[in-house]
Amino acid sequence: MKYVFNQKQREKFYSKIYRLSDDQIGLSFSIILMELKNQEFESSKGRKTPLYLVYEKMEERAALGASISESMDGFIPPVDKAMISSFEGDDISVGFGNLVEYNLKTKEMNGALGKALAYPAFLLSFVVLILGYFSVSIIPLLVENIPPSSYSSLSASSAGLIAVSNGFWIWLPTLIITIITLLVVLSWALPNYNGKFRIYLENIPPFN
């Protein structure tokens, strides 16, 4: 089945595992999953929700000998899976407690990132609006009021003004889409991208 926990669901999921494993030391992961599955079944009034089916699938994997991280494979991000793999042989209550804290800090960092990008986004939006205003209001007036006697000396500049004005509905949406795409990519890449080029990106804003 295709199902991936979102950030809020992961926080709740890890917190439940942490509380259950901390309250009952030595409780196996299979028993924890069974308890979570029963809780979900009761809270949904007897319906097998997608979350119930996820717990059921994890329980099946665990029963076949899969480790905790292997049981969760495909339902959580690779980073979380790697962290779980690092502590699943020890006390999982401590490990999941740290994982909950990591997810909360990631959430805080993403929030701070959104605030950091808000001001540049506002400035870019303001510049785009100014450019749009000039293109539809000012430039056409300037072009219309250029006397014919000046065409020879102003041919290059007037042609440029006309091109900017006529292409308004092409370049403005393109510029807006480019800016939005850039902001989305930066929002994802700053906390998540760990590729080989990250070391070079750390030397330039906003990665530094």
Side-chain angles (χ1 to χ4, degrees), residues 151-168:
Y151 282 175
S152 59
S153 60
L154 296 176
S155 58
S157 58
S158 60
L161 291 175
I162 293 171
V164 170
S165 179
N166 291 340
F168 171 74

Side-chain angles (χ1 to χ4, degrees), residues 25 31 33 39-40 71 77 81 91 97 114 124 141 146 154 158 169 176-177 189 197-198 204:
I25 304 299
I31 300 298
L33 286 174
Q39 290 177 6
E40 179 65 20
S71 299
K81 182 185 174 185
D91 185 354
L124 287 171
L141 290 176
I146 294 175
L154 296 176
S158 60
W169 296 111
I176 292 174
I177 292 173
F197 296 108
R198 180 77 189 206
I204 58 175

Side-chain angles (χ1 to χ4, degrees), residues 101-121:
E101 185 178 352
Y102 164 78
N103 275 266
L104 290 174
K105 288 183 176 179
T106 300
K107 184 178 179 180
E108 292 176 1
M109 184 174 67
N110 289 339
L113 174 62
K115 292 179 181 178
L117 290 175
Y119 183 64

Side-chain angles (χ1 to χ4, degrees), residues 9 71 83 97 134 169 207:
Q9 290 172 327
S71 299
M83 292 182 66
F134 269 82
W169 296 111
F207 289 88

Side-chain angles (χ1 to χ4, degrees), residues 143-194:
V143 173
E144 289 176 5
N145 289 284
I146 294 175
S149 59
S150 302
Y151 282 175
S152 59
S153 60
L154 296 176
S155 58
S157 58
S158 60
L161 291 175
I162 293 171
V164 170
S165 179
N166 291 340
F168 171 74
W169 296 111
I170 297 176
W171 65 260
L172 183 62
T174 302
L175 181 60
I176 292 174
I177 292 173
T178 301
I179 291 172
I180 293 174
T181 302
L182 181 61
L183 291 174
V184 170
V185 170
L186 284 175
S187 298
W188 174 85
L190 280 169
N192 296 306
Y193 178 65
N194 294 309

Side-chain angles (χ1 to χ4, degrees), residues 15-206:
S15 295
K16 288 178 180 178
I17 295 177
Y18 166 69
R19 287 196 299 270
L20 286 171
S21 59
D22 190 53
D23 291 342
Q24 303 180 55
I25 304 299
L27 198 64
S28 71
F29 183 59
S30 296
I31 300 298
I32 291 174
L33 286 174
M34 185 182 299
E35 178 64 26
L36 293 177
K37 188 178 69 172
N38 292 336
Q39 290 177 6
E40 179 65 20
F41 191 71
E42 291 174 3
S43 65
S44 63
K45 298 180 179 179
R47 292 185 299 107
K48 291 189 176 182
T49 63
L51 189 55
Y52 175 92
L53 296 176
V54 168
Y55 291 149
E56 190 173 58
K57 185 64 177 179
M58 290 183 183
E59 188 180 13
E60 290 175 2
R61 291 176 178 178
L64 293 173
S67 63
I68 297 176
S69 59
E70 291 170 344
S71 299
M72 297 182 181
D73 186 34
F75 301 121
I76 60 174
V79 173
D80 287 13
K81 182 185 174 185
M83 292 182 66
I84 293 171
S85 179
S86 68
F87 66 70
E88 59 190 353
D90 303 316
D91 185 354
I92 63 172
S93 63
V94 175
F96 276 101
N98 293 333
L99 189 56
V100 169
E101 185 178 352
Y102 164 78
N103 275 266
L104 290 174
K105 288 183 176 179
T106 300
K107 184 178 179 180
E108 292 176 1
M109 184 174 67
N110 289 339
L113 174 62
K115 292 179 181 178
L117 290 175
Y119 183 64
F122 168 76
L123 291 181
L124 287 171
S125 300
F126 180 73
V127 170
V128 169
L129 288 174
I130 294 297
L131 289 173
Y133 174 74
F134 269 82
S135 295
V136 298
S137 300
I138 305 300
I139 293 178
L141 290 176
L142 291 175
V143 173
E144 289 176 5
N145 289 284
I146 294 175
S149 59
S150 302
Y151 282 175
S152 59
S153 60
L154 296 176
S155 58
S157 58
S158 60
L161 291 175
I162 293 171
V164 170
S165 179
N166 291 340
F168 171 74
W169 296 111
I170 297 176
W171 65 260
L172 183 62
T174 302
L175 181 60
I176 292 174
I177 292 173
T178 301
I179 291 172
I180 293 174
T181 302
L182 181 61
L183 291 174
V184 170
V185 170
L186 284 175
S187 298
W188 174 85
L190 280 169
N192 296 306
Y193 178 65
N194 294 309
K196 61 180 180 180
F197 296 108
R198 180 77 189 206
I199 190 172
Y200 302 107
L201 293 173
E202 295 290 348
N203 297 317
I204 58 175

